[in-house]
Every structure is written in C-alpha cells, then in structure tokens.
Amino acid sequence: VIDNVTARDTVTIGDVSYKLRTPRNPELVPRNYISDSLAQSVIQHLRWIMQKDILGQDVFLIGPPGPLRRSIAMQYLELTKREVEYIALSRDTTETDLKQRREIRAGTAYYIDQCAVRAATEGRILILEGLEKAERNVLPVLNNLLENREMQLEDGRFLMAAERYDKLLKEHDKAELDAWRIVRVSENFRVIALGLPIPRYLGNPLDPPLRSRFQARDVYYLPFKDHLSLLYLMGPSVSTERISQLLSFATTLCTQESSALGLPDFPLDSLSSAVLILNSFPMMSIQHIIEWLYPYNVLLGKEGKTAVVDALKVSLVHTSPNSYSAMGKRLELVPAGTRPFDLHSGTDGFIKTFSHEQLLAEMMQSHMVKDICLIGEKGCGKTVVAKEFAAMLGYNIEPLMLYQDMTARDLLQQRYTLPNGDTSWRPSPLITAALEGKLVILDGIHRVNPGTLAVLQRLIHDRDITLYDGTRLLREDRYQKLKEDLQLSDEQLQQRSIFPIHPSFRIIALAEPPVVGSTTQQWLGPELLTLFLFHHMKPLSKSEEIKVIKEMVPNVPSTAVEQLLKLTHKLRDTNDPTAQSLASSLSTRQLLRICRRLSHYPDESLYNAVNKACLSRFLPNLAKSALHKNLLDSGIETSLTDAQQLEGKDYSCEVNSGILRIGSVTIPISNPYEKMKVPDVLFYENTQHMMVMEDMLKDFLLGEHLLLVGNQGVGKNKVVDKFLQLLNRPREYFQLHRDTTVQSLTLQPSVKDGLIIYEDSPLVKAVKKGHVLVIDEAPTNVTCILKTLVESGEMILSDGRRLVANSGCVNGRENVIVIHPDFRMIVLANRPGFPFLGNDFFGTLGDIFSCHAVDNPKPKSELAMLRQYGPEVPEPVLQKLVAAFGELRSLADQGIINYPYSTREVVNIVKHLQKFPTEGLANVVRNVFDFDSYNNEMREILIRTLHKHGIPIGAKPTNVQLAKE
C-alpha cells in the first residue's frame, strides 16, 4: 500500500519511507501519471525504485516495448515530487545533446547546459529512454557522471560529487572553488534508464562499463490478474468473458513459443484502447479489433498467419459478427478537429465506394482512442482517404513527407540562424500541428529509420514531449492541473517554455505493406506496433475501381476501361512475382492517368499507354514477355495499322502566328519575362525524338509532371531543352546528387556581410514564377519530398514557408507561397535496372509522374543525325558506326554486356572524324572503347563485333612484333 496521508512530508510504500522535499521548480514535477487504482505489481516496482533511490543508486528498467516502463518512472517522480529531465535517445543523439550545446547570442558563443548537466547540478532525476538506439560512442560520456558523479564540461567547469565538494568547502571558501570552476553535483541527482533487452529486440547492446553502473529491474508486462482488473475498469459495459478472451489471446502471442515462431510481440499496452472501443461498440467482434492492434494479415507470412489463427480459435470460443449499424448513432462521441464536422463531405476527387466507407467508419472508431496507421500499396489512395477523413471530422491537415535519412531534428525542431547571427530553434510542422490541434499525415513511415521514430514514442503514447531547446509540451489535462496547482497564468507558463498540446491533435501514418519474408529489417516491428491502431487499405475490387475511374473521368471510352482493368486485376491476382511487379506500375493512380489521357486523345493505343506506364522498354525479357502475354489475354493488342500510321505520320514542328505545332498537337507559345532562362540548344531533329516531344506535349497540356527515363547519352537533356525552347518556357535547372539534402532542395545558403542568408533554390523560383523545373539525376530520398508537392499541392520549405496550390488556402496567412499554375516539373532519371537496382526512382515514385522512355534513335534517324554532325565524313564510315553500335546496344539489352553504348558516344566519334579527317577510324573509336581495354572478356566481344562491321580495332601488344616485320 502507498501511504502518504499521515505525515505530509513522507511517502511510504509498504515498509520503505522516503522523505519529501519541496521542489524548487514545481513545474518540472510530472502530474496525472498516478491513477487511483495502481496494480500491485506496479507498486512493487515503485517500492524497489524507492529503495535504490534511498541507497543513491541509478536504475535501469528493462523490458519489452511499450509505455509501461516510462509511466512507472513518471509515477515514481510524481509520488516523490521530483523534478524530471527527460531525453529520448535516437541514432541522431550526440554528446552535445547530453552535456552542453553552443549557442550564439549577440555575436558571442555561449555554452548552454543540457539535460544531464542540468539534472546533476539541480538535483533532478534524469530519464534516459531508449539506450539501445544511441550510437556506440555517445553514452560513455556519462560513465564518470554515473560512477563518481564527476564530469569535465566543454566550458571549462568541472562537476564534482557532493561529498568531495563539501570536504573542499571546509578547507576553502566558495569564491575559491568558483574561481577553480568547480560545480557541486547535487546529492539528489539520480538516473533512471529505460531500455529494451538486446538481443531479442533490435538495437545496440549495452556497453559493459555502462551496464555495470546501473541496478536493473525487469519490468515485464503486467501480470494477467492485474491487467485483467485494469481492463475491467476501462470497459464497464464489456462482458468480463470477452475481456479475458482478448487478454488470454494477447498473452499467448507474447510467450516464448510465439517468439520462437518469429512472431513479433503482441502490443499488450494497446489492449486498453481495444477495450475502450468495445465499450462504445458492444456488438463489435473481438477478432476484428485484434487485426487493428496486430495486423497479422499484412505482417506475417503463411506460417505466422496460421499460428495466429490457431491461437484465435483457442482463445475466442465464439465471436459475434461485426456490425456497423451502431456507427452513425455513436458518432457524436468521437473527438474531432477544430472546424465543424461534415460527415457527408465528399471532397473533390473522392469517390465513395463500399470498402472506402467501411474503412472510414473503422478509422473513426480507432480515432476515438489512438493514433492510426493506414497500410496499403503505393498509389491505392491512402492520402485521398486520409484527407476525406479529415474533411469529415473538421480537421486542418498538416502533410509531412518522411524520407529515409530524416533525422530526429527534422521531426521535432531545426536549428537556424537569425538575421543578426544568433542561433535559434524552429519548431517542425509536427510540433506546430500539435499546438494548433491539426491532423498530421506522416506519409511514408516505412521509409524512416526506426531509430529516428523513437523520438515520437512519448508524444504518441503520452501526448508529452520535451524539445531540444528545453520547451515542454504537455497533455491538456496535465497542463491544466499544473496551472491549478501552481496558480500560474498561461503567459507565466509560456515564459517557462511550457505549452499544452491541443486535445484535437491526431496523427495518421501512411505506409506501404512490409515485404513478408524479405531479408532486410521490417519497418513494422514490436516497437512500432505499440504506437498505432492499424488499418489495412486493400486494393479496390474491379467493380469499385471501374466506378472510381468512370466518375473521375466521365468521358473515357468504356471498352478501354474494361480491358485495362481486366489486365490490371489479372496481374494483381497472380502468384507469379514477375507479374506482381508489373502490377505495381498499374496502381489506381496510374490507371486514372491513363484514362485521363485516353479521354482527351481517344484514338491513342491502349497497348502503348500500358507499355509506357510499365516502362516496358527497360524491362528484362522475362517480364517483357509476361506483360505482352497478359496484354493479349486481356484483348489489348497492337495492330499493324498503329505502326503504319506512326510511320506515315508527319513528325515535324513549326511555329505559326504564336502557335507551336509538334506532330499533331498544338499549344500557344508563352511570352516569358525571363527570356534568358529559355534554353538555347543545338538540336538536330530526328523522328524518334519528335515522337517523344509530341507525347510530352500532350501530358504537358493535361497538367502532368513528366519523368524521362533512359540510358546515359541518349539525349534526355537535349530533348527537354529543345522542348522548352520550342515552347519558349524558362527553366530552372537542378542537378541533384548523393549529398543533396532536403534543405538544399528548397534553400541555398550564401554569406553576405558576415551573415548567412538563404536564397530561394531553383525549385522555389520555379514554383513562384511558373517556370519549368528540370531535375537531373534524381536520388529517391530527396525526391520523395516532391511527392507532397505533386500529389497534394502542398509542401513545407526548410525555413518554415509553405507552398500551396490552392490560393484559397492563403486567406491572410503569412509565409505562404501560392504555386503558379504554369509550374511543371520534368525529372530525368537513368533507366531502372531490373528489379530496379541502384537509384530506384521509378520504383518508388514512378506512378506520380507521367513516364516517357527516351531511347537511342533508330538506325535511319541516327544516320540522318550523324550526317548533320559530320557532313564531310564518308557515308560508308557513318553506316559502319551505326551498324556496330546498334549491335552493341542489342547485346546490352540482352544483358551480355553491361555498358549501354549511346548516341552521345557515336556523335563524339563523328565530331572527331569531321575535324581530323586523316585520322583512322580504328584510332578514333578507341576514345570510347579504351574504358574496356582491361576487361578481357568484354574486350573480346567488342573486337569481334567491331571487326564484323569492318572497324579494325584491337592491335594487342602481342601483335606489335608482326607490325615491325
């Protein structure tokens, strides 16, 4: 029993008593963590921590993922009225986050104490959460502080244990010790570390010297009996039998046998959320709610699923069918956003289908109690559903695009420099959304490193978070209690950097399904399972998809839609992995694009549209023939007349009274203000490139952003520059590379008068002025950021400004830039290898852009083009080159040689021959082939091929003797 009634200044647990002290900063003491009915097991943990505290020892609470260990630590602090310093460790945590950080104020650098130093000097308790996330060399900085209560600081001060300091104080006065820069560590300073057992879970194992300084306590899940009585309290109107069935099933999945099967732990802490939902919807089946807590159908392979289903059969003797009839009546209970709700919102671009309605109803049930994660294949409409959900419940949305090398700082707070050179912190969109009560859409949670996401656990579990600059955000009820207890106003709390999290704040995470059975680490692990309730967005059924397409694109030819969907569902439903990989190129998003295009250009061939969407030109032979076979089976074929029409078609371009015509498509030419940004390029026309440009123009007129894919040197840049030159459109050019960061995508720093000022990047300039942004060599992690821009027409720049597509969103908000209606993006990417190795731009983001394959010109076009580069080079020489390179390219397509020889290489040879006609052909082609002179196998193939076409190359050192004789 906990007893603190008799003596106001003592708290007693069983036979252990602790003498309370009045806290100096009462606002740092946790509140509202202790409930009226503490489980017996929790009281035992608290008693143990109190014993260690009295002994002056630091403790390590170890146990499975979930909020239990943290809440026990906070309950202890609340009970003993201790001030807290909390830090969630992540792979981005550095020594400066723990000890001291340099800040610049009025041109001078100061050291500002961080959590460990503040806790030591002020006598607080330091909670370190997630030790297994920190990189190897970070935590040893604490070893001496833990062992001897000593630490050397960067600013020259030295922290010293209380006893030693007091001893010195008897011999010297305080002024002397201050002059020696010695600081006393309070005797009340303690550390409570929270971590997962490694191995069993993933992370860095504890360093032995660090481990030896802690007293450990295994905080396993609550014992069955304790947990059961807790759940009974939470669900008074749920039958006790159903609650015990639910708990016994969950406990089964956390046993040794289950983990031996490779099943991730069941998130036992989420059971309380499930019981709260059952309490409001008594008719709901338990099996159904278990899938939200533990999405085993998405998460596990065949054996795992069977194991879960068997466990369900044992635990749930009989389950009632699910019922949605109760949904409408109970909706008034659902917490909602800051705007009025509109349950029949029907936002633009949202077509209601049965499965969507059901999904939205389920999301509303979940959202009553917890944040949501929506799992579905790319392009299946997760964003659209999340937006519809927000519109129905009156939420303002904050889209947040996640990417692979995102850091904890990108998620919470970023450093920046004020105009006077001072350093400061800017809250991330996620934090401002928490303060304003928005719905945050975390798009792509499967891409982020799990060690980075760790910093959000406390925000999601407890709705509390401590930021890098010391600001604390508290759950609304804790904030109110603090206000009452301390009799402080909001202004006074803000001066102490304490703010309430808005009660409407919610998170919806969007993710692609984990790849079952893959060797890489799954994103959906035991820790992430504790954060959300999961909803699986299954692909639309054929009839639903037809409905969506016909309502979104009313005038698309019906037969084309039928054929297209027959093909898509054939590819989706097969077990053949090759066909499935093709299906991912035909997402709902991509099908809508194909249909929009067909509705404007009804005489276009569906066969070509599908091949373009799958970039079939770059598929390996096996996949290519699978696609061809499935196309034929679905009645989509290419007819000879198509090919003949293309042959006979006029692919010239001309400008007539301000109208440009490419092939059969016309567009008025723009009259730009910045003429110097319109490209001016030497371009020799050839039919093939003109065909690509006509195709690009159609998409351009439909408002699409383009992705040009091809091997190096096939003329992607030339095609784009010529295209923009013809349209008379200014371009902003952006060469990306491995080290391009999201910051540099939006801002470019330069120094003026000793101050760092940020100038708009090409991206921002293009958006403001309606120019065309050409992005070269796009690395996927950076271009993920462009997804929100292309898809939802909104994006946040790294300086806090926001781009929006809809000028209606501005209404007086500052820092908003409206996206110019003429803004377009053209992205250039090298061809995907199969299965998309290296820079998988197409695999990740291909279906957001309209894709065009750019290829080497056909022999006839190539010959005509080379004549223009080398008018005086003999015709037979040009023919030899075209034939030889044509054969080398087909060898590269078959995978016999690795390097795809391009037009760029032939053009360079011809330019050389034009300028220096006396030099032999064999000598000039070496400029290209000397790269391969050290690879014998490759060299043999080249020599054979070139000899076959009459190009005499390949005098080896062994032949030199012959030459002399």
Side-chain angles (χ1 to χ4, degrees):
V1 181
I2 298 184
D3 174 31
N4 59 355
V5 187
T6 45
R8 276 272 159 239
D9 55 353
T10 318
V11 68
T12 305
I13 305 180
D15 53 347
V16 184
S17 296
Y18 175 86
K19 201 167 165 38
L20 295 178
R21 278 176 299 275
T22 310
R24 273 216 301 244
N25 301 81
E27 72 274 13
L28 303 185
V29 177
R31 279 168 174 74
N32 280 11
Y33 278 92
I34 292 192
S35 63
D36 303 334
S37 51
L38 278 182
Q40 206 49 49
S41 52
V42 171
I43 295 179
Q44 283 162 3
H45 289 312
L46 293 172
R47 175 178 175 272
W48 178 84
I49 298 176
M50 189 177 275
Q51 290 176 313
K52 295 292 153 193
D53 188 5
I54 291 168
L55 286 168
Q57 294 173 340
D58 297 322
V59 303
F60 193 121
L61 304 181
I62 193 164
L68 183 62
R69 286 159 299 129
R70 187 189 322 112
S71 82
I72 288 176
M74 292 296 191
Q75 284 169 1
Y76 180 73
L77 271 62
E78 184 176 347
L79 195 63
T80 53
K81 297 207 168 21
R82 301 289 279 282
E83 299 170 23
V84 64
E85 288 286 349
Y86 172 93
I87 182 169
L89 301 171
S90 71
R91 65 185 193 137
D92 311 309
T93 306
T94 61
E95 194 175 317
T96 46
D97 294 317
L98 294 164
K99 286 173 76 178
Q100 289 188 311
R101 184 178 277 119
R102 291 183 82 159
E103 301 281 2
I104 296 173
R105 299 269 177 278
T108 311
Y110 293 93
Y111 281 100
I112 307 286
D113 292 346
Q114 298 303 304
C115 58
V117 176
R118 288 195 305 253
T121 53
E122 303 282 340
R124 296 175 185 154
I125 291 196
L126 173 65
I127 295 185
L128 297 171
E129 175 156 30
L131 275 78
E132 70 286 342
K133 307 282 186 301
E135 294 290 330
R136 278 286 162 78
N137 53 353
V138 175
L139 292 172
V141 305
L142 297 176
N143 282 348
N144 204 19
L145 183 63
L146 292 165
E147 179 67 27
N148 302 316
R149 296 298 193 242
E150 286 181 351
M151 186 185 242
Q152 180 68 54
L153 300 181
E154 271 68 13
D155 63 3
R157 291 182 300 157
F158 180 74
L159 300 186
M160 184 184 276
E163 298 134 50
R164 265 187 78 194
Y165 184 92
D166 296 347
K167 234 187 217 160
L168 281 176
L169 201 52
K170 288 179 184 154
E171 298 158 25
H172 309 272
D173 61 0
K174 184 161 184 335
E176 269 184 286
L177 296 183
D178 288 349
W180 294 338
R181 314 210 55 195
I182 296 177
V183 181
R184 182 179 190 270
V185 170
S186 164
E187 64 277 12
N188 300 320
F189 164 61
R190 303 281 182 278
V191 179
I192 299 181
L194 313 173
L196 304 176
I198 313 291
R200 164 104 198 232
Y201 300 101
L202 287 165
N204 300 319
L206 266 180
D207 190 26
L210 183 69
R211 169 182 159 161
S212 65
R213 294 177 163 95
F214 284 109
Q215 307 298 303
R217 173 87 168 179
D218 172 15
V219 179
Y220 196 63
Y221 303 112
L222 290 178
F224 194 88
K225 200 170 82 215
D226 286 356
H227 205 154
L228 200 57
S229 47
L230 180 79
L231 294 177
Y232 285 161
L233 277 174
M234 302 195 88
S237 61
V238 189
S239 74
T240 50
E241 182 198 18
R242 296 184 80 192
I243 291 183
S244 59
Q245 284 181 352
L246 189 59
L247 184 56
S248 63
F249 166 74
T251 320
T252 313
L253 284 197
C254 291
T255 54
Q256 293 286 287
E257 297 81 42
S258 295
S259 58
L261 283 172
L263 302 183
D265 290 9
F266 188 93
L268 275 168
D269 296 293
S270 304
L271 285 176
S272 48
S273 308
V275 170
L276 286 171
I277 295 176
L278 288 172
N279 200 41
S280 299
F281 300 94
M283 296 300 292
M284 209 171 149
S285 89
I286 293 189
Q287 193 162 352
H288 201 81
I289 213 159
I290 281 172
E291 285 186 39
W292 299 355
L293 301 183
Y294 194 76
Y296 59 91
N297 281 318
V298 190
L299 182 62
L300 304 174
K302 198 162 176 238
E303 285 175 26
K305 280 184 206 167
T306 318
V308 174
V309 172
D310 291 346
L312 273 169
K313 281 182 192 147
V314 175
S315 308
L316 313 181
V317 194
H318 49 272
T319 55
S320 58
N322 200 348
S323 147
Y324 284 95
S325 55
M327 191 72 222
K329 293 203 260 318
R330 309 215 51 127
L331 260 181
E332 61 274 14
L333 307 174
V334 176
T338 46
R339 300 204 312 250
F341 331 19
D342 175 8
L343 289 182
H344 307 289
S345 98
T347 36
D348 306 345
F350 185 75
I351 310 296
K352 286 211 162 136
T353 64
F354 175 71
S355 57
H356 283 157
E357 296 239 341
Q358 190 165 342
L359 180 65
L360 283 164
E362 295 179 0
M363 284 167 68
M364 291 206 183
Q365 291 173 299
S366 288
H367 148 276
M368 289 168 55
V369 293
K370 210 171 163 73
D371 293 318
I372 301 172
C373 175
L374 200 53
I375 301 178
E377 299 289 345
K378 73 164 197 253
C380 72
K382 296 185 291 292
T383 310
V384 183
V385 166
K387 283 186 160 173
E388 174 66 10
F389 178 79
M392 287 170 75
L393 290 185
Y395 273 106
N396 287 317
I397 288 184
E398 186 66 81
L400 204 61
M401 190 71 201
L402 305 180
Y403 47 94
Q404 198 175 352
D405 43 12
M406 198 164 198
T407 65
R409 286 197 183 170
D410 296 322
L411 281 171
L412 301 180
Q413 255 186 336
Q414 291 125 348
R415 296 280 270 174
Y416 74 114
T417 314
L418 295 168
N420 66 355
D422 288 0
T423 51
S424 188
W425 290 94
R426 180 189 295 117
S428 72
L430 175 69
I431 295 301
T432 44
L435 294 168
E436 293 167 12
K438 290 184 174 175
L439 174 77
V440 172
I441 296 183
L442 292 180
D443 190 341
I445 200 166
H446 58 284
R447 275 191 288 269
V448 188
N449 185 297
T452 301
L453 279 178
V455 296
L456 296 184
Q457 288 187 14
R458 188 168 168 227
L459 178 66
I460 294 174
H461 288 145
D462 300 345
R463 284 295 187 260
D464 283 359
I465 195 159
T466 305
L467 303 179
Y468 294 109
D469 65 354
T471 304
R472 294 161 195 253
L473 307 188
L474 303 182
R475 202 171 72 190
E476 172 86 359
D477 61 308
R478 295 185 176 132
Y479 178 83
Q480 293 304 343
K481 181 145 173 32
L482 184 65
K483 238 170 96 169
E484 287 162 28
D485 289 356
L486 305 183
Q487 296 291 304
L488 293 174
S489 67
D490 288 333
E491 289 69 40
Q492 288 169 308
L493 282 170
Q494 278 171 25
Q495 281 163 4
R496 302 180 189 200
S497 302
I498 295 176
F499 299 88
I501 287 182
H502 196 293
S504 290
F505 167 62
R506 282 287 185 289
I507 295 175
I508 294 187
L510 308 180
E512 287 172 25
V515 185
V516 176
S518 88
T519 46
T520 52
Q521 187 33 51
Q522 294 288 18
W523 64 267
L524 187 49
E527 278 191 88
L528 229 137
L529 282 170
T530 67
L531 297 181
F532 301 103
L533 288 179
F534 297 87
H535 292 273
H536 181 208
M537 184 164 174
K538 300 179 183 69
L540 292 169
S541 69
K542 191 168 156 190
S543 56
E544 287 184 320
E545 205 156 20
I546 289 179
K547 176 182 171 181
V548 169
I549 288 174
K550 287 195 169 163
E551 288 190 35
M552 299 271 292
V553 191
N555 49 354
V556 59
S558 292
T559 49
V561 178
E562 288 286 346
Q563 288 177 321
L564 188 56
L565 283 163
K566 187 175 171 187
L567 167 75
T568 306
H569 285 270
K570 211 181 179 69
L571 292 172
R572 281 184 201 163
D573 301 339
T574 163
N575 292 328
D576 171 23
T578 314
Q580 280 172 345
S581 66
L582 293 168
S584 71
S585 299
L586 295 172
S587 60
T588 307
R589 184 193 288 140
Q590 187 68 279
L591 297 178
L592 281 166
R593 177 178 291 113
I594 293 175
C595 292
R596 269 199 300 274
R597 173 103 179 221
L598 283 174
S599 77
H600 280 83
Y601 305 103
D603 49 354
E604 277 197 343
S605 130
L606 187 56
Y607 182 85
N608 291 350
V610 172
N611 277 295
K612 180 177 139 184
C614 297
L615 277 184
S616 67
R617 164 67 186 84
F618 301 119
L619 290 174
N621 292 335
L622 185 68
K624 205 182 281 187
S625 57
L627 177 63
H628 185 72
K629 180 183 175 305
N630 278 293
L631 278 163
L632 293 182
D633 292 349
S634 310
I636 304 174
E637 39 197 310
T638 174
S639 57
L640 274 173
T641 49
D642 286 347
Q644 285 159 350
Q645 275 173 341
L646 291 181
E647 285 295 310
K649 200 169 154 184
D650 165 25
Y651 276 106
S652 61
C653 64
E654 58 175 13
V655 176
N656 204 335
S657 58
I659 302 280
L660 162 71
R661 175 184 67 75
I662 302 182
S664 57
V665 188
T666 57
I667 187 174
I669 286 181
S670 57
N671 182 15
Y673 173 66
E674 296 190 37
K675 287 208 166 39
M676 66 283 183
K677 287 195 171 173
V678 176
D680 185 11
V681 56
L682 169 69
F683 184 88
Y684 294 124
E685 280 181 23
N686 65 71
T687 312
Q688 210 155 333
H689 285 164
M690 295 313 285
M691 281 164 73
V692 173
M693 279 196 253
E694 180 195 51
D695 208 21
M696 285 164 66
L697 186 54
K698 288 179 178 175
D699 281 338
F700 213 73
L701 286 164
L702 290 173
E704 297 276 9
H705 298 279
L706 314 182
L707 169 62
L708 267 63
V709 181
N711 288 324
Q712 81 311 329
V714 294
K716 296 189 291 286
N717 292 70
K718 283 216 171 214
V719 167
V720 169
D721 286 354
K722 183 63 185 175
F723 180 68
L724 296 178
Q725 184 182 352
L726 289 170
L727 289 174
N728 206 21
R729 292 287 296 271
R731 69 148 197 209
E732 301 288 342
Y733 182 77
F734 213 146
Q735 169 86 46
L736 300 181
H737 49 82
R738 190 184 63 110
D739 298 330
T740 304
T741 60
V742 177
Q743 270 71 16
S744 60
L745 191 66
T746 56
L747 293 173
Q748 292 179 329
S750 59
V751 177
K752 261 191 196 154
D753 308 328
L755 289 181
I756 299 178
I757 56 166
Y758 288 95
E759 292 173 356
D760 287 343
S761 68
L763 166 71
V764 181
K765 287 181 187 157
V767 164
K768 279 182 174 173
K769 299 174 182 169
H771 293 175
V772 175
L773 175 69
V774 178
I775 295 183
D776 205 353
E777 297 289 332
T780 314
N781 64 332
V782 174
T783 21
C784 279
I785 304 301
L786 302 175
K787 175 175 185 270
T788 40
L789 184 59
V790 176
E791 266 211 311
S792 50
E794 221 178 278
M795 173 172 166
I796 292 165
L797 306 183
S798 44
D799 64 350
R801 287 179 301 168
R802 179 185 297 266
L803 307 178
V804 297
N806 180 355
S807 51
C809 297
V810 180
N811 50 36
R813 281 157 66 190
E814 47 192 287
N815 284 346
V816 172
I817 301 168
V818 178
I819 299 171
H820 194 292
D822 290 345
F823 165 67
R824 293 283 187 287
M825 258 188 291
I826 301 182
V827 178
L828 311 179
N830 283 334
R831 63 169 288 174
F834 193 85
F836 303 133
L837 303 167
N839 185 358
D840 174 14
F841 185 87
F842 176 71
T844 317
L845 293 172
D847 70 341
I848 298 173
F849 295 87
S850 179
C851 303
H852 298 262
V854 182
D855 223 334
N856 292 297
K858 300 243 161 45
K860 209 161 104 185
S861 295
E862 190 166 38
L863 194 60
M865 191 163 88
L866 294 177
R867 278 194 205 107
Q868 290 173 297
Y869 279 107
E872 283 143 36
V873 178
E875 181 76 8
V877 171
L878 295 179
Q879 284 171 340
K880 278 179 188 175
L881 283 169
V882 170
F885 271 83
E887 180 160 343
L888 288 174
R889 285 170 202 152
S890 79
L891 290 175
D893 281 345
Q894 293 162 38
I896 295 170
I897 58 178
N898 289 337
Y899 184 76
Y901 293 93
S902 63
T903 303
R904 180 185 290 150
E905 271 114 342
V906 197
V907 166
N908 286 332
I909 292 173
V910 171
K911 281 180 178 170
H912 192 112
L913 291 169
Q914 168 73 15
K915 185 86 177 157
F916 305 106
T918 55
E919 233 163 293
L921 178 58
N923 217 2
V924 181
V925 293
R926 284 188 49 191
N927 301 353
V928 170
F929 298 118
D930 270 6
F931 279 114
D932 305 304
S933 55
Y934 287 85
N935 176 339
N936 287 338
E937 195 181 334
M938 180 81 171
R939 204 163 145 245
E940 292 301 318
I941 297 175
L942 287 173
I943 290 174
R944 261 207 319 274
T945 310
L946 293 172
H947 284 184
K948 179 170 152 189
H949 294 283
I951 300 173
I953 183 181
K956 295 182 187 164
T958 46
N959 306 3
V960 174
Q961 208 53 41
L962 305 169
K964 269 187 185 171
E965 288 169 11

